[in-house]
Every structure is written in structure tokens, then in C-alpha cells.
Amino acid sequence: MNSMNVLVLATRNPHKLEEIRALFPFPDLITRSALDYPEIPEVVEDGATLEANAVKKAVTLAVATGAYALADDTGLEVNALGGAPGVRSARYAGEACDYAANNRKLLAALQGAADREAQFRCVIALAWPNGQAQYVEGVCRGTIGVTARGTNGFGYDPLFIPDEGDRTFAEYTAAEKNACSHRGRALRAAAERWGGLWARADR
Ligand code: IMP
């Protein structure tokens, strides 16, 4: 097997794996995930930016496996909070916090705020086995609601109302969310930018 036909996805999240695989339908391409390489330690996401974390994860996996690797990092950037929680979105309410604690902290931080504009930003990096990397991003703009609504999705979805409508992401179906979400947009940009690597014979 030619290792340049292999793309390692730097995630253990089955939902993300399925989403990425659906957007990379190249017949010659074999996708693997971090689950297939248990011997490679999980990367510590300590970068100052989403770009730094995505590149770090992708490069670590590509160099360790000798194959292409794709990694993503997402943050919720809130205008009135100067872009926070941003790169710290997963740990906003503390190192071992859960989604509900993050949402409570966000609502408290925005109590009485007139400006509730926010955006999800997803950065996707592709790394080559020689350690070289490139990245693309996808953005979804919206506002932060005053109460949590809906039960679908995860993370900040019950608070995030995309500009496209008046429902929260947690009130969208998965298909509706993919069509306009930061990750959907970033993944489509990634497939457009790098798909040629697996559609050509001369890579
Ligand atoms: P990750 O980089 O995809 O792991 O995302 C980091 C954090 O951002 C997650 O722990 C969630 O809190 C938040 N997040 C990422 N994507 C979404 C989303 O699509 N909806 C809601 N929250 C998200």
C-alpha cells in the first residue's frame, strides 16, 4: 500500500470521523483515525491559537505515521468578550468542566450585554509526512441567546443562534447544522483545497 493514499484523521470522535469521511469520497484514499494508532500519545492542545493547535496535531500524526494527517480545532469567539473563549472553548469554565458549566459561565459573562454577536471558527490543518502543513478555516456567525434552547448537538449549541435563522444550533437537525456550520464550511474548503492530492496520479 502506498502511504500517500492514507489520510489519518486526528480525532477519536466517531461523529467527526463520519462527517470527514463523507466529504473525502476519493476511491484511492484510505482514511484512518487516531484510534488506529493507540501507540501515538494524544497531543496536548496548548497552542495560543486554533491554527497552532490544528497544525500541531496534524504534524505530530503525519510525522509519526508517515502518512498525510488532518486535524481540526474549533473555538467560539464572542465579540463582547474580546474573542473569548476562543482557543479555550473546551475548558472555559475550568480544566475538568462540562458543556453545561461552560454555557452557564458564558450566560453569566454576557448578562445584560447589548452586543451578543459571536462566531464559531473551525480551523482544519493538513500535514505532510515531512512536517509541512497548510490550513483552511470555516466561520459561522450568529448571536448568543439569553437562555439555552434545544437538545441536539453539543457544546455551546443550545446558546448559539446562527444568523441564518432564529433557532439555536441545538434546535437544528444534524444535516441543517452541517450545511451552514463552521466545521461543515471548513471541511468543504479542505476537500476543495486538498482533494486533488488523492484524485491525481502524480502526487
Ligand atoms: P473542538 O476543537 O472541536 O474539540 O472544539 C472545542 C470546543 O468548542 C468544544 O469542546 C465545544 O465546547 C466547542 N465546540 C466546537 N464545535 C462546536 C459546535 O459545533 N457546537 C457547539 N460547540 C462547539
Side-chain angles (χ1 to χ4, degrees), residues 1 23 38 51-52 133 139 165 170 172 178 190:
M1 180 185 56
L23 279 159
E51 286 79 1
V139 168
Y172 276 46
N178 282 345

Side-chain angles (χ1 to χ4, degrees), residues 86-103:
V87 72
R88 294 197 43 85
S89 292
R91 304 173 301 276
Y92 183 43
E95 280 309 317
C97 66
D98 58 12
Y99 294 144
N102 283 337
N103 284 339

Side-chain angles (χ1 to χ4, degrees), residues 6-25:
V6 175
L7 175 64
V8 186
L9 309 173
T11 180
R12 293 177 164 81
N13 176 328
H15 172 73
K16 277 193 192 172
L17 290 173
E18 200 183 306
E19 222 182 327
I20 298 170
R21 285 184 167 130
L23 279 159
F24 284 77

Side-chain angles (χ1 to χ4, degrees), residues 151-170:
T151 53
N152 299 334
F154 69 100
Y156 298 94
D157 280 349
L159 293 182
F160 186 80
I161 304 165
D163 282 345
E164 277 82 1
D166 55 8
R167 290 173 298 157
T168 68
F169 260 165

Side-chain angles (χ1 to χ4, degrees), residues 16 72-74 89-90 99 120 154-157 177 182-183:
K16 277 193 192 172
D72 70 317
D73 201 28
T74 297
S89 292
Y99 294 144
F120 274 118
F154 69 100
Y156 298 94
D157 280 349
K177 184 179 166 188
H182 45 295
R183 198 168 15 262

